[in-house]
């Protein structure tokens, strides 16, 4: 009886697919790991998942990190679809306007061999499956693996990277330059604010909590969009923990970091632009001096290089984390009066002993509830979007969280410039009253660092 019902259900499902999409989308394992719910993003297409991908997900599901969690989520999604449509995905089943199937046969091994590719390598088998689908119609392979895309294109298969929903290929800066009538600048200085409508069509160029350099001839002003108004920034430049901003981008970042009404901040930028030191200076100022929060909690992802994983390092947990936390120590050194490593170590020890500072791995965030803290997530570009959700759901009342990172410099596998946690956060939260974002571009670490960033 059960088999018969299952068979009828599958037959009904096939009947619903009256006019399948003409373009076939073949998923690589890296896409399902980076975005376990990516099926929904292509629900109006004919999705084909090679059985090799399921096998690779099965090999990854036991990992205790974000990759393992994503693999398990992707497998559960496929399992729900399998059960929902009669027990098998060998034939196309309907989605929201499209179809999905798991391809078992059709791998064009002879084409792989002709091009010098080993059919036993999983990535090559996925390409071989895409070659087989190409015999049935236009086919595109979606992968976050650049090498796989290069090989696929070489064999004549269209290849593209996966971009999460609402992802943008450009890097939003969080500020813009507006050329306006001199009356707007005069009104801004006279009343400290103007209605955004006074900008005309340019009003849409500045979203909530974004900044603008408003200028007219030799006159200019720095302003921030707050609701329906464009508000002039205070004349006095904030200097948290004695740190003076060196450019307008850093000034904009401090405005967000020191505003208690902004609970989520994202700072993106290349090395030396001041992301980490700005976040830590603002955090220390608000915890130690202003006492707006009870402590600073700094988290970093542990992305190992070679065999330098945390388990291979000597000592207890604190000693194991030291190599990853050295960048935080360096930032605090720059905040001391004499730029002294000894003074920084003493400050860290003192704040830690008083419970006002903690340095931890993102690994230990699960299950936590963070109350009245200012949380700094450093190197956020190396985090999976699933970890982003985990972090933000840990945030309690009275807590501010700051994400810093460089979306053009990613060390974690399966992630790219558009699907890492920092990029996803910026695109998803953009325009929300509780969120602000700035991309820092000017290197301020030193003249040598600035020159290297520019020339190399």
């Amino acid at each position: 009886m059960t088999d018969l019902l299952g068979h009828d259900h599958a037959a009904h499902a096939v009947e619903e697919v009256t006019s399948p999409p003409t373009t076939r989308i073949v998923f690589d394992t890296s896409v399902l790991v980076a975005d376990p719910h990516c099926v929904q993003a292509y629900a109006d297409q004919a999705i084909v998942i090679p059985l090799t991908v399921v096998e690779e997900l099965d090999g990854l599901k036991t990992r205790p990190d974000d990759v393992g969690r994503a693999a398990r989520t992707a497998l559960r999604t496929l399992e729900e679809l399998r059960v929902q449509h009669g027990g098998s995905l060998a034939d196309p089943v309907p989605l929201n306007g499209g179809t999905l199937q798991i391809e078992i046969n059709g791998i064009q091994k002879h084409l792989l061999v002709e091009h010098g590719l080993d059919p036993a390598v999983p990535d090559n088998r996925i390409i071989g499956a895409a070659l087989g689908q190409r015999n049935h119609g236009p086919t595109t392979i979606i992968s976050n693996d650049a090498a796989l895309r290069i090989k696929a294109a070489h064999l004549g298969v269209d290849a593209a990277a996966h971009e999460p929903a609402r992802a943008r290929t450009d890097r939003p800066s969080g500020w813009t330059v507006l050329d306006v009538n001199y009356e707007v600048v005069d009104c801004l200085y006279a009343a400290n604010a103007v209605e955004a409508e006074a900008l005309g069509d340019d009003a849409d160029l500045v979203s909530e909590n974004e900044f603008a350099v408003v200028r007219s001839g030799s006159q200019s002003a720095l302003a921030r969009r707050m609701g329906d108004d464009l508000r002039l920034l205070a004349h006095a430049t904030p200097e948290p923990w004695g740190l003076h901003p060196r450019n307008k981008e850093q000034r904009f970042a401090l405005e967000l970091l020191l505003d208690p009404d902004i609970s989520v901040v994202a700072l993106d930028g290349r090395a030396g632009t001041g992301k980490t030191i700005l976040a830590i200076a603002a955090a220390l100022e608000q915890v130690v001096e202003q006492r707006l929060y009870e402590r600073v909690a700094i988290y970093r992802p542990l992305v190992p290089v070679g065999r330098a994983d945390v388990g291979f390092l000597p000592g207890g947990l604190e000693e194991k984390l030291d190599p990853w936390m050295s960048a935080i120590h360096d930032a605090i050194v720059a905040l001391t009066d004499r730029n002294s490593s000894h003074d920084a170590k003493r400050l860290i020890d003192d704040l830690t002993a008083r419970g006002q500072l903690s340095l931890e791995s993102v690994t230990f965030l699960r299950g936590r509830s963070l109350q009245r803290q200012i949380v700094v997530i450093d190197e956020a570009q190396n985090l999976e979007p699933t970890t982003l959700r985990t972090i933000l759901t840990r945030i309690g009342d009275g807590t501010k969280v700051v994400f810093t990172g460089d979306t053009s410099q990613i060390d974690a596998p399966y992630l790219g410039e558009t699907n890492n946690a920092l990029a996803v956060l910026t695109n998803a939260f953009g325009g929300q009253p509780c969120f602000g974002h700035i991309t820092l571009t000017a290197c301020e670490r030193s003249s040598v660092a600035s020159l290297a960033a520019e020339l190399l």
Side-chain angles (χ1 to χ4, degrees), residues 172-232:
S173 64
W175 68 278
T176 188
V177 177
L178 300 177
D179 291 306
V180 299
N181 188 289
Y182 75 92
E183 295 177 344
V184 175
V185 180
D186 290 343
C187 182
L188 190 59
Y189 276 112
N192 291 325
V194 296
E195 292 185 356
E197 294 179 353
L199 302 175
D201 295 337
D202 289 342
D204 294 335
L205 298 178
V206 188
S207 300
E208 183 75 10
N209 290 323
E210 289 190 343
F211 297 86
V213 178
V214 184
R215 66 186 184 185
S216 176
S218 60
Q219 290 182 302
S220 65
L222 302 181
R224 170 180 161 193
R225 177 71 180 263
M226 302 179 69
D228 295 328
D229 296 333
L230 200 64
R231 300 189 183 181
L232 184 70

Side-chain angles (χ1 to χ4, degrees), residues 209-285:
N209 290 323
E210 289 190 343
F211 297 86
V213 178
V214 184
R215 66 186 184 185
S216 176
S218 60
Q219 290 182 302
S220 65
L222 302 181
R224 170 180 161 193
R225 177 71 180 263
M226 302 179 69
D228 295 328
D229 296 333
L230 200 64
R231 300 189 183 181
L232 184 70
L233 298 190
H235 179 70
T237 302
E239 295 187 2
W241 209 257
L243 180 68
H244 181 78
R246 297 186 177 183
N247 55 55
K248 59 182 177 296
E249 295 170 346
Q250 291 190 355
R251 171 72 189 278
F252 296 153
L254 287 179
E255 290 289 331
L256 298 174
L257 291 168
L258 296 173
D259 187 344
D261 294 327
I262 305 295
S263 55
V264 183
V265 177
L267 300 182
D268 187 5
R270 61 184 182 179
T273 52
K275 309 177 297 295
T276 303
I277 194 172
L278 287 168
I280 293 177
L284 292 176
E285 177 73 20

Side-chain angles (χ1 to χ4, degrees), residues 265 267 275-276 279 376-381 402-406 422:
V265 177
L267 300 182
K275 309 177 297 295
T276 303
V376 179
I377 309 294
D378 198 31
E379 300 292 343
Q381 82 279 359
V402 181
F403 294 85
T404 68
D406 180 1
L422 190 59

Side-chain angles (χ1 to χ4, degrees), residues 308-357:
D309 206 342
V310 65
F312 290 93
L313 297 177
L317 180 59
E318 183 177 349
E319 293 174 289
K320 289 175 182 289
L321 293 178
D322 276 348
W324 277 276
M325 297 304 173
S326 58
I328 306 301
H329 177 271
D330 294 343
I332 296 179
V333 167
L335 292 173
T336 60
D337 293 335
R338 299 178 298 176
N339 290 342
S340 166
S341 178
H342 177 73
D343 291 348
K345 181 68 166 59
R346 185 170 55 186
L347 176 61
I348 291 173
D349 292 342
D350 182 48
L351 293 176
T352 302
R354 294 189 308 193
Q356 291 183 310
L357 175 66

Side-chain angles (χ1 to χ4, degrees), residues 279-298:
I280 293 177
L284 292 176
E285 177 73 20
Q286 294 173 89
V287 170
V288 180
E289 300 295 337
Q290 301 177 7
R291 297 189 180 275
L292 295 178
Y293 306 94
E294 291 183 352
R295 72 166 181 161
V296 183
I298 302 175

